[in-house]
Each structure stands twice: as C-alpha cells, then as structure tokens.
Amino acid sequence: MLIARNIKKSFGKKRVLDDIDITLENGKITTIIGENGAGKSTIIGIISGFFFQDTGTVQKSTVSVMPDADSLFEDMTGKQFLKYILEIKKVDYKKAVTMAETFGIKKALNKKMCEYSFGMKKRSALFKLI
Amino acid sequence: MIAILKKELLSQFRSKRSIVLLILIILLSLIAGKYSLSLSISQGNSSSGSSPLFTVIFSIYIILMPLISAIMFGGIVAREVKDQSLRYLIPIISRRKILFSKYLAMNIYFIVLFFISTSFILLLRQSYIFPLKLFAISIFIILYLNAITLCCSINLSSERSVFLSGVVLFIFFPGITLWNLIKPNIINKTLNFVLPSTYLDGKASLLIIIVLTIFIIWLSFYNFSKREI
C-alpha cells in the first residue's frame, strides 16, 4: 500500500504538483495519465525518493521503480550489473539467471550494456526490478 | 554497502586511468628507490621509519593528490547523478550508505597506492623499517583530500567541474605555501591550517585536520541527502 497526501512540489517558481492525493493498493495495476508536463514523472520521482516534496506526506514500504533505460550503468556488462543490484537487494544470483532466460536476456548478459539495443535495455531494467 | 564498495574499487582498479597512475607511482618509486641515493632511508627516527626519502616522496604525493583524486573520483557522484544511474540505487539502499561506500572506496584506493609505493621503495633499498608514522599522517591527509573531492562531486554538476576544482586546489595549496614564504601575514598563516603539507611536516596538530575532515564529510552527507537526483 502506498499513500501520498497533500503533495505539493515546485521547481523554481513553477508549481508542478498542487495538493495531490494518491492511494495505490498492492496487487492492483494503477495508471497515471496526463499531458506532457502534468507532473506524472515528478510524482513517481517523489514516491521513489529521487525528488523531495515541498509539503505533504508519503507512506510506503519498498518501492521498485524502473528508471529510463538510458540510465543503466553503461560501462558494466549485464552480468556485472545484475550481480551488483542482486548483492544490494540480497537476492540469490542463480535464481536470477534462471529468470533471465524467461526474459530473453541471458545471452546478452556477457555484453556491455552500452552495446544493448533500446528494447534490451528496457528488458534488463525491468528484470533487475523483479 | 559492500556491493557498492566492491563495484567502485573494481571499476577504479580496472580503469585505464588507474593503470597509468599505478605505472607512474611505480616509476616514481623506482627512481626514488634506486637513483636518489643522496636521500637517506635510514636517517631520522628509525623506529617509526621516518626518513628524508619518504618525507620527499610523500610530500610529492600529497601535492599531486588533489589533482589525482579529482581525475580518478571526480565523477563518483556527479557522473551517476548526471546519467541518472543513481536512480537504480536510491529506492533500494539509503543515500547515507551509498555515499559512505563511495567515500570508503576512494580512501582504500589511495591507501593501497601509497602502500604499494612505500613497499616498492623499501624492497629496492632493501630496508625493512616501514615509515609507520608518516604513513599514518598520510592516511589522515588522504581522508581530508578525498572528503573535498567527494564534496565537490556532490555539489558540482559535472565531472569536468570537479576536475577543474581539483586543478584549482592543486595550484591553491602550493600557492599559499609560497605566499607564506614570501610575505607571511595573518591571512596566509590562518590558511596554512587547510594545507595538507602543514600536517605532513608535523607543524600543526592532527586534530585540526580531523575536525576539518569531519566538517566536510558532514556537509557532503547533508547536501547529498537534500539533493534531487
């Protein structure tokens, strides 16, 4: 369960979020829809801890966020990156390799991530979250 | 935390920059150990291993360190903020742990380099008295200079800016020493306390550099905890 209440956020003089309330339930798919600049990424950034709200509260447990695919550690191979994230998350590497097969990224694990296609980067980013 | 420490150390030791630096350090040690026989390794306080040779070698490293630290670790935070790769870590590990691991990696890297160089000289000179006191003082100076680099990497927007700040410090520190020699006054005497060489020479209490380091680290952690990624 994630509850955000009365979230306000400005970048400089520009108010991006004004009194936003949001409740996300576990096991449910929730979509945030809005125009460019409506503040969708900002609210996700606040939930993830990338940004700080000016006012309001966020109650959450663990949150997994898939950042932009272009922000992967490009000098690492897929395997190095996977081991790195798993070690921080304290997850078994062998289990992850089995899962990598399902995601279709096992063969690419020995390649540097800067050589990945955009789709492969997206899949890798998603895989590391799960 | 250990994962970040390991990643930072491995990526540094494997980098081309690090290999070049290691070769330079070994070459300098080789020259110092083999050809600078006019500088004695056995004079001074033999129990702590202090000697004119090691004082000169460590002074050279300390003069170069602001520049080397900025070259090697300028992007340790700035690059990851800029390319947003830090966003993979922020949701799963605290900012404090991220920063502490990075700072620890920076210090271990330089302590290893200093140790390699010292050991190399001792082997070449066939002397087995380790310059323990000088090495210990150097560790405090490493902690201080790396804290400055880390602080710059957090507060400046790009790796290049951090490198430039390293260049400024590289010029500033000897500049103050020179100014103090030419025209000593209250300003440069006060500024002496921020100079690493002051502590290497034993002219000031180590407590001052420890307080300075703690303050810079506190500032770095505070700014990083407030920084939007």
Side-chain angles (χ1 to χ4, degrees), chain B residues 34-46:
Chain B
K34 223 171 178 182
Y35 302 109
S36 63
L37 296 172
S38 58
L39 290 171
S40 167
I41 198 165
S42 58
Q43 280 173 15
N45 185 350
S46 58

Side-chain angles (χ1 to χ4, degrees), chain A residues 18 20 26 43 52 54 88 92-93 125:
Chain A
D18 198 2
I20 299 291
N26 288 346
I43 189 79
F52 302 102
D54 300 333
I88 296 170
D92 185 32
Y93 177 69

Side-chain angles (χ1 to χ4, degrees), chain B residues 193-208:
Chain B
F193 290 109
V194 300
L195 304 182
S197 55
T198 309
Y199 302 95
L200 197 68
D201 300 342
K203 286 177 192 161
S205 164
L206 276 177
L207 197 68
I208 302 168

